[in-house]
């Protein structure tokens, strides 16, 4: 080969200046080596292939740079097979790789996560790297200058040089470097973006062209991690140079998203896709095409989330939620939010804000709690403005001030218009009509706020004609903006003024969006509040079923999934509560009909009759009339052949805001009015859950003299009510075997210890007739002084011994572990299983009781883990059991565990903050926050042990 045509001549010339032992060029690779290698790593770059044909690897500068032999070429990692490592050095951690890109290859440094491309030609990379070592260039800028000297026409290096010059403040030289880069390498999108950014202050038209070229040359997935690509800022830059709603801009975005974004292999590229989709959405919204924007976003989301490496798309999905909310697709919006529930804290806060907006539009409960949740995590001022807007629209004067302040800081005309709307509402509420009209006139910058202000101006108009014109203008505007719920409420304003033609289109929208308050408002205007009762009942029954599934964690539901059906149910309840007493008659007839069907059915809790009955009882419980209270009392007296339905009825009555109901309940405790025992038990339970102190004297009489089921119910209710005046009465009942357990728990709730002492004595004396083993109650509440008693109890026979074993598990003392381990080897399989369950309760470790040699397995585990446990500490499931742990268990999936934990918490602390173990999910969250706040204020004064009784240590 002639020297002038030999691409390795510069390298050979450099090598020739050194002694022979400084560089070592290996003999060429065999012809068979190439197809073998390429079968594993793909086609070799031409320059590297030429090198390996001539020298099968090389060691240069005494090992400072090593070019691998063909058999040593390998992917950078199992996750990144696109990058092939071909050289190493000078440091041990330095590796060099190549990857296919466009019609050629990129060569550069492998960082362990990505390839930093430097050259587009192997020969130039090899000679440049040899020069770097030869001249000992350690500074990055000096290395770049040398590489450009060796490879002056390489687009990658020219782009890097432009970045360097831009950082140094030499914009003109940087511009020239970028121009040369895109000429030499026109398929580099990042070079086009840099050029466009550099041209923005020089030539706007040329800048837009360059930025568009960057978008057109971007293709996903990227060929390798670290490949030059446009970033998400490109879309924002371009968007500002097109008129709002420009079809040409939308065509560019459509082509990019549909033709250039084919897949993702890793995180790179997801933000650019999201940015482009959101820009396309904003363009469609500018044209008033809300439905089209929603369909497009949903399509992009569904396609991109099916990629090999789907990105999070948090902002895109939240934008889709916002569109669905505007369009009335609230269930779809909440399903999207459900998928985002496990996202970062700031995303959770934005989800709470989105839920608050849905709840506000639907007139559902817990709006303020949702806004509080959002504000606690929102950091972006635009999001905080939206949260405060919800507060301001609900009449908070503090929120109005915060909205005005934030809108001024943000400098956004649309937000200032929204702020003017709530300022007008605030002035109107204060009877400052003139000021309100001035503010309403300042809403033009935000179309939705402007048409809402037209509604307000119509209500303030001095004539019917003027009012009708204002309402009609708002309706037409909401139709154009595709805001159906706004449109429907505006139509009802016209309907109230006598335009009956507006009723049907409004009703159609309310039914399509399942908006209970809207349907109820239509029925009220039409003079027939119960017209759509069947519609309310059918939806409420479906929500009741969803709530039931979520409360019991039926896949795919979790406890938090009860939130949506509970809000929807309460919305229907509010709609029914707003009707007059005639609705009660209709509800009663339906309840009686479904009760008859329920008695003939198979008793399945999820069957339609059961769910309809539960839903109707809940709706009836929300009505405040005397007739509703009387009907609820009548239902409590019924023998319902389904325990779960009965429990739901008791819960609905216990949570009813109907104040007439309390007196009705109390009346049924009087001697002459008492129903049969089963009904009386249910009435007493309701009073206990409601903590009606007025019922305590009558309940005390029943606890002393009534039938056994009634006495037990009355004692339990007295413990929940918390009236200490009945302690003496209960002390006289604790020795009645059939009443011992409920009486002891009631006494413990009231701060009296003697019930535990009685059960301890019963365990020692093997008292007969107790409802449950005394060992369980002693273990849960007795403290470590009962350890020896429980240990002696496990050696006895029968249920008493099993209860003592369970009691040791509940006691949580480490000293019980050796004895329980010994019992896992008992010949009685049942005793061995109970002992293993008690050990698991203390340690949190599970050993299969059906597997062979459980005792040996437990002994081995305990030997390896005993150092993790300390005497004097109470353990539950392997963790110290104290007030902190009890608070955590209030969120347990099982309602029985939640209720028993709450009782234990009250008995341990002596504090009676509320907690509704089977109540609405958000009510439980509020109750838990109340307990958390109490704990924060009192944690320092609480004893560290879990053996507490009314705030005092019993260790």
């Amino acid at each position: 080969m002639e020297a002038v045509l030999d691409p390795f001549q510069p390298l050979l010339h450099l090598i020739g200046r050194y002694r022979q032992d400084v560089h070592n060029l290996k003999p060429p690779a065999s012809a068979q080596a190439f197809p073998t290698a390429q079968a594993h790593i793909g086609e070799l770059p031409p320059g590297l292939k030429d090198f390996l044909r001539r020298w099968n690897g090389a060691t240069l500068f005494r090992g400072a740079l090593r070019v691998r032999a063909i058999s040593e070429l390998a992917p950078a990692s199992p996750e990144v097979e696109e990058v092939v490592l071909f050289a190493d050095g000078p440091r041990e951690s330095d590796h060099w790789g190549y990857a296919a890109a466009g019609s050629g290859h990129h060569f550069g440094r492998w960082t362990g996560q990505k390839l930093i491309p430097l050259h587009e030609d192997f020969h130039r990379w090899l000679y440049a790297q040899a020069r770097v070592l030869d001249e000992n260039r350690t500074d990055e800028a000096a290395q770049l200058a040398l590489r450009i000297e060796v490879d002056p026409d390489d687009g990658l290096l020219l782009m890097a040089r432009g970045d360097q010059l831009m950082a140094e403040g030499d914009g003109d030289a940087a511009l020239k470097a970028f121009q040369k880069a895109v000429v030499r390498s026109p398929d580099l999108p990042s070079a086009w973006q840099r050029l466009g950014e550099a041209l923005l202050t020089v030539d706007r038209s040329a800048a837009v062209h360059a930025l568009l070229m960057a978008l057109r040359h971007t293709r996903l997935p990227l060929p390798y991690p670290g490949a030059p690509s446009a970033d998400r800022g490109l879309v924002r830059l371009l968007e500002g140079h097109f008129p709002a709603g420009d079809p040409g801009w939308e065509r560019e975005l459509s082509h990019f998203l549909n033709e250039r974004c084919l897949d993702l292999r890793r995180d790179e590229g997801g933000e650019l896709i999201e940015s482009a989709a959101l820009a396309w959405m904003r363009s469609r919204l500018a044209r008033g095409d809300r439905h089209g924007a929603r369909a497009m976003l949903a399509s992009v989301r569904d396609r991109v989330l099916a990629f090999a490496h789907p990105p999070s798309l948090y902002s895109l999905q939240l934008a889709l939620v916002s569109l669905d909310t505007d369009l009335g697709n609230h269930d779809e919006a909440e399903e999207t939010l459900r998928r985002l529930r496990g996202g970062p804290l700031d995303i959770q806060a934005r989800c709470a804000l989105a839920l608050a907006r849905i709840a506000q539009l639907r007139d559902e409960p817990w709006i303020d709690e949702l806004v509080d949740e959002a504000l606690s995590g929102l950091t972006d001022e635009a999001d905080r403005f939206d949260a405060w807007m919800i507060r301001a629209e609900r009449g908070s004067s503090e929120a109005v001030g915060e909205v005005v302040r934030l809108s001024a800081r943000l400098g956004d005309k649309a937000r200032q218009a929204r702020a003017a709307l709530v300022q007008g509402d605030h002035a109107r509420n204060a009877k400052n009509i003139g000021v309100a009209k001035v503010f309403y006139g300042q809403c033009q910058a935000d179309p939705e706020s402007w048409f809402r202000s037209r509604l307000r101006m119509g209500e303030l108009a001095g004539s019917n004609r003027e009012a009708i014109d204002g309402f009609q203008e708002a309706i037409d505007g909401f139709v154009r903006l595709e805001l159906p719920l706004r449109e429907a409420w505006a139509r009802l304003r016209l309907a109230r003024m006598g335009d009956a033609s507006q009723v049907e289109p409004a009703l159609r929208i309310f039914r399509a969006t399942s908006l209970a308050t809207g349907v109820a408002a239509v029925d009220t205007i039409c003079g027939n509040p119960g017209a759509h009762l069947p519609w309310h009942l059918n939806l409420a029954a479906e929500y009741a079923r969803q709530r039931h599934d979520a409360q019991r964690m039926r896949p795919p539901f979790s406890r938090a999934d009860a939130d949506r059906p509970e809000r929807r149910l309460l919305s229907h309840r509010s709609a029914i509560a707003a009707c007059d007493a005639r609705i009660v008659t209709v509800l009663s007839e339906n309840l009686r009909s479904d009760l008859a069907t329920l008695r003939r059915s198979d008793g399945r809790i999820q069957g339609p009759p059961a769910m309809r009955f539960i839903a109707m009882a809940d709706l009836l419980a929300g009505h405040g009339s005397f007739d509703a209270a009387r009907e609820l009392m009548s239902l409590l007296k019924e023998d319902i052949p389904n325990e779960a339905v009965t429990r739901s009825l008791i819960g609905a009555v216990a949570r009813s805001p109907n104040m007439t109901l309390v007196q009705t309940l109390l009346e049924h405790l009087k001697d002459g009015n008492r129903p049969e025992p089963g009904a009386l038990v249910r009435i007493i339970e309701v009073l206990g859950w409601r903590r009606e102190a007025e019922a305590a004297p009558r309940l005390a009489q029943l606890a002393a003299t009534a039938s056994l089921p009634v006495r037990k119910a009355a004692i339990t209710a007295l413990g929940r009510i918390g009236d200490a005046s009945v302690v003496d009465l209960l002390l006289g009942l604790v020795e009645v075997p059939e009443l011992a357990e409920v009486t002891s728990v009631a006494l413990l709730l009231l701060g009296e210890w003697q019930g535990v002492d009685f059960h301890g004595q019963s365990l020692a004396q093997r008292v007969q007739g107790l409802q449950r083993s005394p060992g369980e109650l002693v273990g849960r509440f007795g403290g470590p002084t009962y350890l020896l008693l429980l240990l002696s109890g496990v050696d006895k026979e029968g249920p008493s011994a099993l209860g003592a074993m369970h009691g040791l598990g509940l006691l949580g003392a480490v000293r019980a572990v050796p004895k329980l381990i010994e019992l896992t080897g008992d010949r009685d399989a049942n005793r061995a299983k109970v002992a293993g369950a008690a050990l698991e309760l203390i340690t949190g470790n599970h050993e299969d009781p059906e597997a062979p040699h459980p005792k040996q397995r437990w002994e081995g585990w305990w030997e390896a883990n005993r150092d993790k446990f300390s005497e004097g500490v109470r353990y539950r499931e392997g963790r110290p059991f104290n007030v902190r742990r009890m608070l955590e268990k209030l969120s347990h999936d099982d309602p029985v565990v939640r209720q028993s934990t709450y009782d234990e918490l009250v008995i341990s602390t002596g504090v009676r903050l509320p907690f509704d173990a089977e109540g609405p999910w958000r009510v439980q969250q509020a109750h838990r926050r109340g307990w958390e706040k109490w704990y924060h204020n009192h944690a320092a004064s609480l004893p560290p042990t879990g053996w507490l009784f009314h705030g005092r240590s019993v260790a």
Side-chain angles (χ1 to χ4, degrees):
M1 182 181 292
E2 297 181 14
V4 71
L5 299 178
D6 186 356
F8 297 108
Q9 183 59 39
L11 176 68
L12 293 171
H13 178 74
L14 186 152
I15 289 174
R17 295 191 289 104
Y18 285 85
R19 290 168 45 185
Q20 189 173 358
D21 62 345
V22 175
H23 307 287
N24 181 14
L25 300 173
K26 308 292 183 181
S30 66
Q32 295 82 1
F34 288 92
T36 301
Q38 292 179 152
H40 294 285
I41 59 175
E43 185 67 26
L44 293 175
L48 178 59
K49 184 183 290 188
D50 291 343
F51 181 88
L52 295 172
R53 281 175 175 159
R54 193 161 177 180
W55 303 290
N56 190 18
T59 302
L60 306 178
F61 299 97
R62 291 195 172 92
L65 179 64
R66 186 175 74 90
V67 180
R68 297 185 180 188
I70 190 169
S71 62
E72 296 177 295
L73 301 180
S77 72
E79 295 77 27
V80 188
E81 295 185 347
E82 309 96 301
V83 177
V84 176
L85 301 185
F86 67 90
D88 308 280
R91 293 170 299 188
E92 187 176 346
S93 59
D94 287 343
H95 303 288
W96 300 91
Y98 70 82
S103 58
H105 290 81
H106 289 171
F107 299 82
R109 187 185 301 277
W110 171 251
T111 68
Q113 285 80 38
K114 64 181 181 178
L115 182 71
I116 301 176
L118 295 172
H119 295 268
E120 296 175 302
D121 180 84
F122 173 78
H123 303 98
R124 302 298 174 88
W125 170 85
L126 181 60
Y127 183 51
Q129 190 60 28
R131 285 276 305 274
V132 167
L133 294 171
D134 178 54
E135 300 178 21
N136 194 27
R137 303 249 184 139
T138 57
D139 180 70
E140 288 189 12
Q143 288 186 16
L144 177 61
L146 189 150
R147 291 182 187 280
I148 293 176
E149 179 186 330
V150 171
D151 198 359
D153 295 330
D154 190 292
L156 293 168
L157 292 171
L158 289 167
M159 182 175 65
R161 177 58 177 159
D163 287 341
Q164 186 183 67
L165 291 168
M166 190 66 75
E168 294 171 356
D170 192 346
D172 292 339
L175 177 61
K176 292 177 181 178
F178 292 140
Q179 287 172 329
K180 191 174 180 181
V182 299
V183 170
R184 299 299 182 184
S185 302
D187 59 346
L188 284 179
S190 49
W192 281 110
Q193 182 173 348
R194 305 287 206 287
L195 175 60
E197 291 167 349
L199 284 168
L200 282 173
T201 57
V202 179
D203 185 337
R204 179 180 178 276
S205 177
V208 172
H209 171 75
L211 294 172
L212 281 173
M213 292 296 289
L215 188 67
R216 292 167 183 171
H217 280 91
T218 297
R219 185 181 180 87
L220 299 173
L222 296 180
Y224 60 87
S229 172
D231 59 49
R232 67 181 305 172
L234 170 66
V235 175
R236 275 294 191 183
L237 280 173
L238 275 169
E239 187 176 14
H241 294 282
F242 287 92
D246 184 77
W249 173 228
E250 289 190 28
R251 283 193 297 273
E252 293 287 348
L253 293 169
S254 174
H255 179 76
F256 170 70
L257 289 169
N258 295 318
E259 305 297 331
R260 306 293 291 179
C261 301
L262 305 179
D263 200 357
L264 290 176
R265 299 194 190 104
R266 46 191 60 86
D267 290 338
E268 296 170 303
E271 289 188 346
L272 182 59
I273 291 175
E274 186 172 58
S275 182
L278 293 175
W280 194 359
M281 175 199 73
R282 287 188 290 269
S283 182
R284 288 200 168 193
L285 289 179
R287 293 192 283 109
D289 185 10
R290 194 171 251 100
H291 279 96
R294 191 265 171 207
M296 178 274 298
L297 276 191
S299 175
V300 171
R301 177 199 63 184
D302 294 343
R303 188 166 66 88
V304 172
L305 291 181
F307 283 174
H309 186 87
S312 59
L313 299 181
Y314 289 133
S315 293
L316 185 152
Q317 294 193 74
L318 285 167
L320 183 56
V321 167
S322 179
L323 290 173
D324 274 330
T325 301
D326 289 340
L327 292 168
N329 306 325
H330 298 148
D331 286 351
E332 290 88 339
E334 294 207 40
E335 184 58 34
T336 301
L337 291 172
R338 182 174 182 264
R339 300 171 190 166
L340 304 180
R341 190 180 294 152
L345 292 178
D346 64 318
I347 297 301
Q348 293 181 33
R350 292 173 68 188
C351 287
L353 175 59
L355 276 178
R357 186 161 173 258
I358 292 172
Q360 180 189 31
L361 284 172
R362 299 187 66 87
D363 195 21
E364 292 177 347
W366 301 310
I367 299 171
D368 292 330
E369 289 84 351
L370 286 163
V371 173
D372 286 340
E373 183 181 340
L375 285 171
S376 68
L378 292 174
T379 55
D380 182 78
E381 286 197 332
D383 290 332
R384 293 185 66 82
F385 170 87
D386 291 342
W388 283 108
M389 266 298 296
I390 294 175
R391 281 264 172 84
E393 290 181 338
R394 290 172 61 78
S396 167
S397 56
E398 175 197 2
V400 172
E402 191 66 16
V403 161
V404 172
R405 184 186 71 81
L406 285 170
S407 65
R409 281 175 58 89
L410 291 164
D412 181 349
K413 297 295 185 184
R415 287 189 173 87
Q416 289 170 0
R418 293 172 63 193
L421 182 70
V422 293
Q423 285 177 283
D425 291 344
H426 188 60
R428 180 183 175 185
N429 292 336
K431 309 301 183 184
N432 296 325
I433 305 303
V435 175
K437 289 181 176 180
V438 171
F439 280 122
Y440 291 149
Q442 298 173 3
C443 298
Q444 293 95 329
D446 178 56
E448 181 180 351
S449 297
W450 174 249
F451 293 121
R452 292 178 69 188
S453 75
R454 295 306 88 197
L455 289 175
R456 269 70 161 180
M457 291 295 286
E459 291 167 345
L460 298 176
S463 68
N464 285 351
R465 183 70 263 163
E466 190 179 351
I468 290 171
D469 290 344
F471 295 157
Q472 190 61 57
E473 181 185 356
I475 292 169
D476 295 341
F478 293 139
V479 169
R480 288 198 303 275
L481 294 175
E482 296 183 345
L483 296 171
L485 286 179
R486 298 284 187 208
E487 173 198 342
W489 287 113
R491 289 186 183 279
L492 285 194
R493 282 177 166 83
L494 277 182
R496 289 192 182 97
M497 299 191 71
D499 186 352
S501 66
Q502 302 295 331
V503 171
E504 184 56 35
L507 179 61
R508 187 167 54 249
I509 292 171
F510 290 138
R511 285 176 61 97
T513 56
S514 301
L515 191 64
T517 52
V519 172
V522 169
D523 289 347
T524 301
I525 288 175
C526 295
N528 185 4
H532 281 86
L533 181 60
W535 179 85
H536 286 290
L537 294 182
N538 289 334
L539 279 177
E542 174 57 22
Y543 293 137
R545 185 192 62 78
Q546 293 174 11
R547 179 179 186 265
H548 178 271
D549 288 346
Q551 283 187 317
R552 282 147 187 81
M553 304 286 291
R554 294 182 187 274
F557 295 107
S558 67
R559 277 283 299 129
D561 289 314
D563 174 41
R564 181 177 65 90
E566 284 168 352
R567 281 188 283 107
R568 301 289 193 271
L569 278 168
L570 286 170
S571 179
H572 285 283
R573 179 193 266 199
S574 298
I576 296 299
C579 299
D580 59 32
R582 289 176 294 172
I583 200 73
V584 175
T585 302
V586 183
L587 274 172
S588 300
E589 292 172 354
N590 280 271
L591 276 164
R592 297 296 169 182
S593 174
D594 276 0
L595 182 56
T597 305
L598 189 61
R599 285 174 174 151
R600 296 191 300 269
S601 71
D602 58 7
R604 290 185 301 113
I605 178 59
Q606 287 187 292
M611 284 303 164
R612 274 179 56 86
F613 186 92
I614 289 171
M616 280 191 290
D618 191 71
L619 295 178
L620 184 62
H623 204 277
S625 67
F626 173 79
D627 290 343
R630 183 177 58 190
E631 180 60 24
L632 288 169
M633 284 302 310
S634 177
L635 289 172
L636 283 175
K637 296 176 186 178
E638 292 284 352
D639 180 21
I640 301 173
N642 187 308
E643 180 62 22
V645 173
T646 302
R647 303 302 315 160
S648 296
L649 173 63
I650 290 171
V653 179
R655 299 180 188 96
S656 172
N658 188 326
M659 298 313 297
T660 307
L661 184 60
V662 177
Q663 290 304 315
T664 310
L665 290 165
L666 292 172
E667 285 296 317
H668 280 78
L669 297 186
K670 291 182 179 179
D671 292 340
N673 295 339
R674 291 177 190 167
E676 56 87 21
L680 187 55
V681 165
R682 293 189 284 274
I683 291 169
I684 290 171
E685 186 174 354
V686 169
L687 288 167
W689 287 124
R690 293 181 71 98
R691 294 178 173 81
E692 295 292 349
E694 190 179 343
R698 299 178 191 177
L699 291 174
Q701 294 173 6
L702 293 171
T705 62
S707 63
L708 183 61
V710 174
R711 295 177 78 186
K712 291 176 69 173
I715 292 167
T716 300
L718 286 169
R720 301 213 177 283
I721 290 170
D723 186 346
S725 67
V726 300
V727 167
D728 290 340
L729 168 68
L730 297 182
L731 287 173
L733 301 175
V734 75
E735 296 188 12
V736 179
E738 297 83 0
L739 301 176
E741 182 184 0
V742 294
T743 305
S744 296
V745 173
L747 284 169
L748 287 166
L749 288 167
L750 295 171
E752 176 52 57
W753 184 263
Q754 288 192 34
V756 178
D757 289 336
F758 168 78
H759 276 76
Q761 294 168 17
S762 300
L763 180 64
Q765 299 168 12
R766 304 184 71 179
V767 173
Q768 301 298 313
L770 297 175
Q771 298 295 297
R772 294 176 63 185
S773 168
E776 296 181 28
L777 188 138
V778 168
R780 187 181 293 276
F781 301 113
T785 55
Y786 286 90
L787 173 64
L788 295 179
L789 178 63
L790 289 168
L791 286 172
S792 65
V794 301
D795 291 326
K796 299 174 183 178
E797 298 295 329
S800 175
L802 299 180
M805 291 182 205
H806 190 203
L808 285 172
L810 292 168
L811 185 68
V814 175
R815 290 173 61 193
V817 171
K819 181 64 176 179
L820 290 170
I821 290 177
E822 179 186 332
L823 290 168
T824 59
D826 198 285
R827 293 181 181 180
D828 185 331
N830 195 31
R831 285 170 60 86
K833 287 180 181 179
V834 173
L839 281 168
E840 185 173 347
L841 196 56
I842 298 172
T843 65
N845 178 57
H846 175 73
E847 297 289 344
D848 185 359
E850 303 297 334
H853 311 301
K855 180 182 176 184
Q856 288 83 343
R857 285 184 281 109
W858 271 110
E859 286 174 338
W861 184 89
W862 182 242
E863 184 63 31
N865 293 276
R866 67 189 310 164
D867 291 343
K868 300 175 183 177
F869 297 83
S870 304
E871 289 197 13
V873 176
R874 186 182 188 187
Y875 290 94
R876 184 75 57 85
E877 297 164 346
R879 295 173 56 190
F881 190 64
N882 46 30
V883 174
R884 172 75 268 163
R885 180 72 173 132
M886 293 181 207
L887 293 180
E888 292 173 6
K889 287 180 75 67
L890 289 180
S891 61
H892 197 278
D893 295 340
D894 189 338
V896 175
V897 174
R898 293 196 296 271
Q899 184 58 55
S900 62
T901 300
Y902 173 65
D903 289 342
E904 200 163 359
L905 188 58
V906 172
I907 292 168
S908 296
T909 63
V911 177
R912 285 185 168 272
L913 293 177
F915 181 74
D916 191 344
E918 290 209 67
W921 184 76
R922 288 204 175 270
V923 170
Q924 287 183 13
Q925 303 313 300
H927 287 168
R928 286 185 59 215
R929 287 193 295 272
W931 275 102
E932 291 284 354
K933 182 177 180 181
W934 172 86
Y935 179 76
H936 177 77
N937 294 332
H938 295 86
S941 62
L942 289 172
T945 177
W947 294 296
L948 304 178
F949 181 68
H950 282 249
R952 303 187 306 275
S953 174
V954 293

